[in-house]
PDB file of all heavy atoms in Angstrom:
ATOM      1  N   ALA A  19     -22.347   4.053 -40.018  1.00  0.00           N
ATOM      2  CA  ALA A  19     -23.657   3.776 -39.420  1.00  0.00           C
ATOM      3  C   ALA A  19     -24.654   3.306 -40.484  1.00  0.00           C
ATOM      4  O   ALA A  19     -25.413   2.354 -40.266  1.00  0.00           O
ATOM      5  CB  ALA A  19     -24.186   5.010 -38.704  1.00  0.00           C
ATOM      6  N   MET A  20     -24.649   3.946 -41.636  1.00  0.00           N
ATOM      7  CA  MET A  20     -25.583   3.572 -42.692  1.00  0.00           C
ATOM      8  C   MET A  20     -25.212   2.228 -43.304  1.00  0.00           C
ATOM      9  O   MET A  20     -26.085   1.439 -43.676  1.00  0.00           O
ATOM     10  CB  MET A  20     -25.597   4.662 -43.772  1.00  0.00           C
ATOM     11  CG  MET A  20     -26.169   5.999 -43.313  1.00  0.00           C
ATOM     12  SD  MET A  20     -27.852   5.860 -42.630  1.00  0.00           S
ATOM     13  CE  MET A  20     -28.738   5.304 -44.088  1.00  0.00           C
ATOM     14  N   GLY A  21     -23.914   1.948 -43.386  1.00  0.00           N
ATOM     15  CA  GLY A  21     -23.480   0.727 -44.048  1.00  0.00           C
ATOM     16  C   GLY A  21     -23.572  -0.515 -43.186  1.00  0.00           C
ATOM     17  O   GLY A  21     -23.935  -1.592 -43.668  1.00  0.00           O
ATOM     18  N   GLU A  22     -23.221  -0.384 -41.895  1.00  0.00           N
ATOM     19  CA  GLU A  22     -23.145  -1.560 -41.029  1.00  0.00           C
ATOM     20  C   GLU A  22     -24.012  -1.463 -39.779  1.00  0.00           C
ATOM     21  O   GLU A  22     -24.212  -2.471 -39.095  1.00  0.00           O
ATOM     22  CB  GLU A  22     -21.691  -1.776 -40.587  1.00  0.00           C
ATOM     23  CG  GLU A  22     -20.676  -1.876 -41.709  1.00  0.00           C
ATOM     24  CD  GLU A  22     -19.252  -1.848 -41.178  1.00  0.00           C
ATOM     25  OE1 GLU A  22     -18.952  -2.655 -40.268  1.00  0.00           O
ATOM     26  OE2 GLU A  22     -18.458  -1.015 -41.639  1.00  0.00           O
ATOM     27  N   GLY A  23     -24.507  -0.270 -39.472  1.00  0.00           N
ATOM     28  CA  GLY A  23     -25.164  -0.069 -38.191  1.00  0.00           C
ATOM     29  C   GLY A  23     -26.641   0.223 -38.249  1.00  0.00           C
ATOM     30  O   GLY A  23     -27.183   0.853 -37.325  1.00  0.00           O
ATOM     31  N   ALA A  24     -27.312  -0.202 -39.314  1.00  0.00           N
ATOM     32  CA  ALA A  24     -28.763  -0.029 -39.445  1.00  0.00           C
ATOM     33  C   ALA A  24     -29.192   1.433 -39.336  1.00  0.00           C
ATOM     34  O   ALA A  24     -30.337   1.730 -39.004  1.00  0.00           O
ATOM     35  CB  ALA A  24     -29.499  -0.872 -38.390  1.00  0.00           C
ATOM     36  N   GLY A  25     -28.251   2.337 -39.601  1.00  0.00           N
ATOM     37  CA  GLY A  25     -28.564   3.759 -39.599  1.00  0.00           C
ATOM     38  C   GLY A  25     -28.465   4.437 -38.249  1.00  0.00           C
ATOM     39  O   GLY A  25     -28.423   5.663 -38.181  1.00  0.00           O
ATOM     40  N   TRP A  26     -28.394   3.662 -37.147  1.00  0.00           N
ATOM     41  CA  TRP A  26     -28.394   4.307 -35.824  1.00  0.00           C
ATOM     42  C   TRP A  26     -27.236   3.886 -34.937  1.00  0.00           C
ATOM     43  O   TRP A  26     -27.086   4.407 -33.840  1.00  0.00           O
ATOM     44  CB  TRP A  26     -29.718   4.043 -35.104  1.00  0.00           C
ATOM     45  CG  TRP A  26     -30.000   2.620 -34.712  1.00  0.00           C
ATOM     46  CD1 TRP A  26     -30.604   1.670 -35.469  1.00  0.00           C
ATOM     47  CD2 TRP A  26     -29.705   1.996 -33.450  1.00  0.00           C
ATOM     48  NE1 TRP A  26     -30.706   0.484 -34.772  1.00  0.00           N
ATOM     49  CE2 TRP A  26     -30.174   0.659 -33.530  1.00  0.00           C
ATOM     50  CE3 TRP A  26     -29.102   2.428 -32.262  1.00  0.00           C
ATOM     51  CZ2 TRP A  26     -30.043  -0.252 -32.476  1.00  0.00           C
ATOM     52  CZ3 TRP A  26     -28.974   1.517 -31.212  1.00  0.00           C
ATOM     53  CH2 TRP A  26     -29.440   0.207 -31.315  1.00  0.00           C
ATOM     54  N   ARG A  27     -26.398   2.988 -35.399  1.00  0.00           N
ATOM     55  CA  ARG A  27     -25.240   2.555 -34.617  1.00  0.00           C
ATOM     56  C   ARG A  27     -23.970   2.729 -35.431  1.00  0.00           C
ATOM     57  O   ARG A  27     -23.935   2.417 -36.621  1.00  0.00           O
ATOM     58  CB  ARG A  27     -25.383   1.082 -34.211  1.00  0.00           C
ATOM     59  CG  ARG A  27     -26.521   0.808 -33.265  1.00  0.00           C
ATOM     60  CD  ARG A  27     -26.690  -0.676 -33.043  1.00  0.00           C
ATOM     61  NE  ARG A  27     -27.016  -1.374 -34.305  1.00  0.00           N
ATOM     62  CZ  ARG A  27     -27.274  -2.672 -34.392  1.00  0.00           C
ATOM     63  NH1 ARG A  27     -27.200  -3.446 -33.325  1.00  0.00           N
ATOM     64  NH2 ARG A  27     -27.586  -3.207 -35.555  1.00  0.00           N
ATOM     65  N   ILE A  28     -22.915   3.195 -34.781  1.00  0.00           N
ATOM     66  CA  ILE A  28     -21.622   3.369 -35.438  1.00  0.00           C
ATOM     67  C   ILE A  28     -20.701   2.239 -34.982  1.00  0.00           C
ATOM     68  O   ILE A  28     -20.356   2.159 -33.800  1.00  0.00           O
ATOM     69  CB  ILE A  28     -20.991   4.728 -35.092  1.00  0.00           C
ATOM     70  CG1 ILE A  28     -21.936   5.875 -35.449  1.00  0.00           C
ATOM     71  CG2 ILE A  28     -19.658   4.888 -35.812  1.00  0.00           C
ATOM     72  CD1 ILE A  28     -21.471   7.219 -34.946  1.00  0.00           C
ATOM     73  N   PRO A  29     -20.291   1.348 -35.884  1.00  0.00           N
ATOM     74  CA  PRO A  29     -19.374   0.269 -35.493  1.00  0.00           C
ATOM     75  C   PRO A  29     -18.052   0.828 -34.977  1.00  0.00           C
ATOM     76  O   PRO A  29     -17.631   1.933 -35.333  1.00  0.00           O
ATOM     77  CB  PRO A  29     -19.184  -0.520 -36.795  1.00  0.00           C
ATOM     78  CG  PRO A  29     -20.390  -0.193 -37.624  1.00  0.00           C
ATOM     79  CD  PRO A  29     -20.730   1.227 -37.276  1.00  0.00           C
ATOM     80  N   ALA A  30     -17.396   0.051 -34.141  1.00  0.00           N
ATOM     81  CA  ALA A  30     -16.148   0.497 -33.513  1.00  0.00           C
ATOM     82  C   ALA A  30     -15.058   0.754 -34.541  1.00  0.00           C
ATOM     83  O   ALA A  30     -14.936   0.039 -35.545  1.00  0.00           O
ATOM     84  CB  ALA A  30     -15.681  -0.551 -32.511  1.00  0.00           C
ATOM     85  N   VAL A  31     -14.271   1.778 -34.289  1.00  0.00           N
ATOM     86  CA  VAL A  31     -13.122   2.099 -35.138  1.00  0.00           C
ATOM     87  C   VAL A  31     -11.910   1.302 -34.654  1.00  0.00           C
ATOM     88  O   VAL A  31     -11.906   0.784 -33.528  1.00  0.00           O
ATOM     89  CB  VAL A  31     -12.810   3.609 -35.100  1.00  0.00           C
ATOM     90  CG1 VAL A  31     -14.007   4.414 -35.603  1.00  0.00           C
ATOM     91  CG2 VAL A  31     -12.438   4.051 -33.690  1.00  0.00           C
ATOM     92  N   PRO A  32     -10.855   1.176 -35.482  1.00  0.00           N
ATOM     93  CA  PRO A  32      -9.671   0.411 -35.053  1.00  0.00           C
ATOM     94  C   PRO A  32      -8.985   1.030 -33.842  1.00  0.00           C
ATOM     95  O   PRO A  32      -9.030   2.240 -33.620  1.00  0.00           O
ATOM     96  CB  PRO A  32      -8.765   0.468 -36.283  1.00  0.00           C
ATOM     97  CG  PRO A  32      -9.670   0.761 -37.433  1.00  0.00           C
ATOM     98  CD  PRO A  32     -10.756   1.625 -36.881  1.00  0.00           C
ATOM     99  N   MET A  33      -8.349   0.203 -33.052  1.00  0.00           N
ATOM    100  CA  MET A  33      -7.576   0.663 -31.911  1.00  0.00           C
ATOM    101  C   MET A  33      -6.241   1.227 -32.402  1.00  0.00           C
ATOM    102  O   MET A  33      -5.810   0.934 -33.534  1.00  0.00           O
ATOM    103  CB  MET A  33      -7.372  -0.478 -30.926  1.00  0.00           C
ATOM    104  CG  MET A  33      -8.684  -1.020 -30.373  1.00  0.00           C
ATOM    105  SD  MET A  33      -8.452  -2.374 -29.199  1.00  0.00           S
ATOM    106  CE  MET A  33      -7.808  -1.477 -27.781  1.00  0.00           C
ATOM    107  N   PRO A  34      -5.548   2.045 -31.597  1.00  0.00           N
ATOM    108  CA  PRO A  34      -4.265   2.615 -32.017  1.00  0.00           C
ATOM    109  C   PRO A  34      -3.279   1.531 -32.453  1.00  0.00           C
ATOM    110  O   PRO A  34      -3.259   0.436 -31.882  1.00  0.00           O
ATOM    111  CB  PRO A  34      -3.770   3.349 -30.765  1.00  0.00           C
ATOM    112  CG  PRO A  34      -5.015   3.695 -30.027  1.00  0.00           C
ATOM    113  CD  PRO A  34      -5.955   2.549 -30.263  1.00  0.00           C
ATOM    114  N   PRO A  35      -2.458   1.827 -33.461  1.00  0.00           N
ATOM    115  CA  PRO A  35      -1.575   0.796 -34.021  1.00  0.00           C
ATOM    116  C   PRO A  35      -0.510   0.279 -33.064  1.00  0.00           C
ATOM    117  O   PRO A  35       0.040  -0.800 -33.288  1.00  0.00           O
ATOM    118  CB  PRO A  35      -0.939   1.483 -35.229  1.00  0.00           C
ATOM    119  CG  PRO A  35      -1.116   2.944 -34.993  1.00  0.00           C
ATOM    120  CD  PRO A  35      -2.381   3.091 -34.219  1.00  0.00           C
ATOM    121  N   ASP A  36      -0.203   1.016 -32.000  1.00  0.00           N
ATOM    122  CA  ASP A  36       0.807   0.540 -31.053  1.00  0.00           C
ATOM    123  C   ASP A  36       0.198  -0.302 -29.935  1.00  0.00           C
ATOM    124  O   ASP A  36       0.889  -0.662 -28.974  1.00  0.00           O
ATOM    125  CB  ASP A  36       1.614   1.699 -30.468  1.00  0.00           C
ATOM    126  CG  ASP A  36       0.770   2.647 -29.609  1.00  0.00           C
ATOM    127  OD1 ASP A  36      -0.474   2.609 -29.723  1.00  0.00           O
ATOM    128  OD2 ASP A  36       1.351   3.415 -28.831  1.00  0.00           O
ATOM    129  N   THR A  37      -1.090  -0.636 -30.031  1.00  0.00           N
ATOM    130  CA  THR A  37      -1.726  -1.505 -29.045  1.00  0.00           C
ATOM    131  C   THR A  37      -1.169  -2.921 -29.189  1.00  0.00           C
ATOM    132  O   THR A  37      -1.104  -3.459 -30.294  1.00  0.00           O
ATOM    133  CB  THR A  37      -3.248  -1.534 -29.241  1.00  0.00           C
ATOM    134  OG1 THR A  37      -3.751  -0.193 -29.283  1.00  0.00           O
ATOM    135  CG2 THR A  37      -3.926  -2.285 -28.100  1.00  0.00           C
ATOM    136  N   ALA A  38      -0.769  -3.524 -28.087  1.00  0.00           N
ATOM    137  CA  ALA A  38      -0.206  -4.872 -28.119  1.00  0.00           C
ATOM    138  C   ALA A  38      -1.226  -5.856 -28.688  1.00  0.00           C
ATOM    139  O   ALA A  38      -2.427  -5.734 -28.416  1.00  0.00           O
ATOM    140  CB  ALA A  38       0.199  -5.299 -26.708  1.00  0.00           C
ATOM    141  N   PRO A  39      -0.769  -6.836 -29.469  1.00  0.00           N
ATOM    142  CA  PRO A  39      -1.701  -7.812 -30.063  1.00  0.00           C
ATOM    143  C   PRO A  39      -2.602  -8.488 -29.040  1.00  0.00           C
ATOM    144  O   PRO A  39      -3.793  -8.720 -29.301  1.00  0.00           O
ATOM    145  CB  PRO A  39      -0.772  -8.818 -30.750  1.00  0.00           C
ATOM    146  CG  PRO A  39       0.474  -8.043 -31.037  1.00  0.00           C
ATOM    147  CD  PRO A  39       0.615  -7.065 -29.913  1.00  0.00           C
ATOM    148  N   GLU A  40      -2.072  -8.794 -27.861  1.00  0.00           N
ATOM    149  CA  GLU A  40      -2.901  -9.447 -26.865  1.00  0.00           C
ATOM    150  C   GLU A  40      -3.993  -8.517 -26.333  1.00  0.00           C
ATOM    151  O   GLU A  40      -5.085  -8.970 -25.960  1.00  0.00           O
ATOM    152  CB  GLU A  40      -2.052  -9.973 -25.702  1.00  0.00           C
ATOM    153  CG  GLU A  40      -1.226  -8.928 -24.957  1.00  0.00           C
ATOM    154  CD  GLU A  40       0.182  -8.741 -25.524  1.00  0.00           C
ATOM    155  OE1 GLU A  40       0.392  -9.013 -26.724  1.00  0.00           O
ATOM    156  OE2 GLU A  40       1.063  -8.319 -24.742  1.00  0.00           O
ATOM    157  N   ASP A  41      -3.712  -7.210 -26.316  1.00  0.00           N
ATOM    158  CA  ASP A  41      -4.732  -6.261 -25.884  1.00  0.00           C
ATOM    159  C   ASP A  41      -5.797  -6.078 -26.964  1.00  0.00           C
ATOM    160  O   ASP A  41      -6.985  -5.917 -26.650  1.00  0.00           O
ATOM    161  CB  ASP A  41      -4.096  -4.917 -25.534  1.00  0.00           C
ATOM    162  CG  ASP A  41      -3.355  -4.946 -24.207  1.00  0.00           C
ATOM    163  OD1 ASP A  41      -3.760  -5.728 -23.326  1.00  0.00           O
ATOM    164  OD2 ASP A  41      -2.370  -4.204 -24.056  1.00  0.00           O
ATOM    165  N   VAL A  42      -5.384  -6.097 -28.220  1.00  0.00           N
ATOM    166  CA  VAL A  42      -6.358  -6.026 -29.310  1.00  0.00           C
ATOM    167  C   VAL A  42      -7.280  -7.246 -29.257  1.00  0.00           C
ATOM    168  O   VAL A  42      -8.508  -7.135 -29.393  1.00  0.00           O
ATOM    169  CB  VAL A  42      -5.650  -5.949 -30.677  1.00  0.00           C
ATOM    170  CG1 VAL A  42      -6.664  -6.027 -31.809  1.00  0.00           C
ATOM    171  CG2 VAL A  42      -4.839  -4.657 -30.794  1.00  0.00           C
ATOM    172  N   ALA A  43      -6.689  -8.416 -29.024  1.00  0.00           N
ATOM    173  CA  ALA A  43      -7.478  -9.649 -28.952  1.00  0.00           C
ATOM    174  C   ALA A  43      -8.443  -9.620 -27.773  1.00  0.00           C
ATOM    175  O   ALA A  43      -9.558 -10.157 -27.855  1.00  0.00           O
ATOM    176  CB  ALA A  43      -6.545 -10.853 -28.853  1.00  0.00           C
ATOM    177  N   TRP A  44      -8.024  -9.008 -26.665  1.00  0.00           N
ATOM    178  CA  TRP A  44      -8.880  -8.897 -25.479  1.00  0.00           C
ATOM    179  C   TRP A  44     -10.000  -7.884 -25.702  1.00  0.00           C
ATOM    180  O   TRP A  44     -11.167  -8.144 -25.374  1.00  0.00           O
ATOM    181  CB  TRP A  44      -8.006  -8.490 -24.294  1.00  0.00           C
ATOM    182  CG  TRP A  44      -8.738  -7.896 -23.126  1.00  0.00           C
ATOM    183  CD1 TRP A  44      -9.654  -8.523 -22.326  1.00  0.00           C
ATOM    184  CD2 TRP A  44      -8.612  -6.554 -22.623  1.00  0.00           C
ATOM    185  NE1 TRP A  44     -10.094  -7.652 -21.348  1.00  0.00           N
ATOM    186  CE2 TRP A  44      -9.477  -6.454 -21.511  1.00  0.00           C
ATOM    187  CE3 TRP A  44      -7.845  -5.456 -22.992  1.00  0.00           C
ATOM    188  CZ2 TRP A  44      -9.595  -5.264 -20.771  1.00  0.00           C
ATOM    189  CZ3 TRP A  44      -7.949  -4.276 -22.267  1.00  0.00           C
ATOM    190  CH2 TRP A  44      -8.827  -4.192 -21.167  1.00  0.00           C
ATOM    191  N   ALA A  45      -9.677  -6.725 -26.278  1.00  0.00           N
ATOM    192  CA  ALA A  45     -10.635  -5.625 -26.349  1.00  0.00           C
ATOM    193  C   ALA A  45     -11.624  -5.757 -27.503  1.00  0.00           C
ATOM    194  O   ALA A  45     -12.809  -5.415 -27.351  1.00  0.00           O
ATOM    195  CB  ALA A  45      -9.887  -4.298 -26.472  1.00  0.00           C
ATOM    196  N   THR A  46     -11.172  -6.230 -28.646  1.00  0.00           N
ATOM    197  CA  THR A  46     -12.002  -6.186 -29.848  1.00  0.00           C
ATOM    198  C   THR A  46     -13.367  -6.836 -29.673  1.00  0.00           C
ATOM    199  O   THR A  46     -14.395  -6.232 -30.030  1.00  0.00           O
ATOM    200  CB  THR A  46     -11.252  -6.801 -31.035  1.00  0.00           C
ATOM    201  OG1 THR A  46     -10.055  -6.035 -31.267  1.00  0.00           O
ATOM    202  CG2 THR A  46     -12.111  -6.792 -32.293  1.00  0.00           C
ATOM    203  N   PRO A  47     -13.468  -8.045 -29.123  1.00  0.00           N
ATOM    204  CA  PRO A  47     -14.802  -8.640 -29.001  1.00  0.00           C
ATOM    205  C   PRO A  47     -15.693  -7.970 -27.954  1.00  0.00           C
ATOM    206  O   PRO A  47     -16.905  -8.236 -27.917  1.00  0.00           O
ATOM    207  CB  PRO A  47     -14.505 -10.096 -28.609  1.00  0.00           C
ATOM    208  CG  PRO A  47     -13.145 -10.067 -27.996  1.00  0.00           C
ATOM    209  CD  PRO A  47     -12.403  -8.986 -28.710  1.00  0.00           C
ATOM    210  N   ARG A  48     -15.133  -7.099 -27.135  1.00  0.00           N
ATOM    211  CA  ARG A  48     -15.903  -6.425 -26.094  1.00  0.00           C
ATOM    212  C   ARG A  48     -16.393  -5.043 -26.533  1.00  0.00           C
ATOM    213  O   ARG A  48     -17.242  -4.453 -25.858  1.00  0.00           O
ATOM    214  CB  ARG A  48     -15.064  -6.295 -24.818  1.00  0.00           C
ATOM    215  CG  ARG A  48     -14.783  -7.636 -24.156  1.00  0.00           C
ATOM    216  CD  ARG A  48     -13.756  -7.532 -23.039  1.00  0.00           C
ATOM    217  NE  ARG A  48     -13.673  -8.782 -22.292  1.00  0.00           N
ATOM    218  CZ  ARG A  48     -12.965  -9.837 -22.686  1.00  0.00           C
ATOM    219  NH1 ARG A  48     -12.267  -9.783 -23.826  1.00  0.00           N
ATOM    220  NH2 ARG A  48     -12.947 -10.948 -21.966  1.00  0.00           N
TER     221      ARG A  48
END
């Protein structure tokens, strides 16, 4: 939050490693 989120937002963490590449591509920008 302090590094990337202006102190009040927590950027998204990575999705589980067994997530299909097409699902990662679909979910990440959302």
Side-chain angles (χ1 to χ4, degrees):
M20 293 304 296
E22 305 170 52
W26 66 272
R27 294 173 298 183
I28 304 171
V31 300
M33 299 180 72
D36 65 343
T37 308
E40 59 269 26
D41 285 330
V42 174
W44 161 65
T46 299
R48 292 170 171 82

